Amino acid sequence: MYTTALTFKLRPGCYAEYKKAHDELWPGIAAQMRDEGVHMIIYEFENRLFLHAEAPSQEYYERSQAGEETARWHAYMATLMETDAEGNSIVEDLEVAFVFGRFADE
């Protein structure tokens, strides 16, 4: 099993739109993640988002994040998140600090 954790920051005042977009996740995006066996949860704290995802392998996860529709989704999300000079969302990998239970068995 592959797991990943990322953090990124929303622009001020964008949480409601971000939440609504994810509550109404585009069907093609949901199907692609489901087809690749991806499970994901995103937490929010003071406009900082924390994503945790699991997939059968890194390859499956990467496939779930590929394609034209996903590129459009990421471009839309970039309008709600802090971005770099090129307009790409600033996404930071989180380092594993502690592992317990089923995550430790992998």
Side-chain angles (χ1 to χ4, degrees):
M1 170 102 35
Y2 171 76
T3 63
T4 189
L6 309 168
T7 184
F8 34 97
K9 192 168 184 183
L10 289 169
R11 293 180 180 173
C14 288
Y15 179 69
E17 184 175 349
Y18 179 89
K19 176 81 168 93
K20 183 177 188 306
H22 283 78
D23 288 347
E24 300 169 359
L25 188 62
W26 299 349
I29 300 290
Q32 186 169 349
M33 288 197 300
R34 190 177 307 108
D35 291 349
E36 297 299 341
V38 172
H39 300 272
M40 184 181 293
I41 189 165
I42 301 173
Y43 298 95
E44 183 270 341
F45 179 73
E46 296 181 355
N47 278 338
R48 171 70 64 180
L49 299 168
F50 301 89
L51 176 149
H52 177 260
E54 297 179 24
S57 70
Q58 185 173 355
E59 179 183 352
Y60 280 72
Y61 179 76
E62 289 172 358
R63 283 196 314 243
S64 80
Q65 299 298 301
E68 290 180 27
E69 186 171 26
T70 302
R72 285 193 307 276
W73 176 265
H74 287 211
Y76 170 39
M77 291 297 107
T79 68
L80 305 175
M81 293 188 241
E82 289 188 355
T83 57
D84 61 19
E86 289 81 39
N88 299 310
S89 298
I90 300 170
V91 178
E92 301 165 300
D93 290 323
L94 293 171
E95 182 178 327
V96 174
F98 176 75
V99 180
F100 181 80
R102 70 183 176 99
F103 295 112
D105 298 333
E106 310 198 4

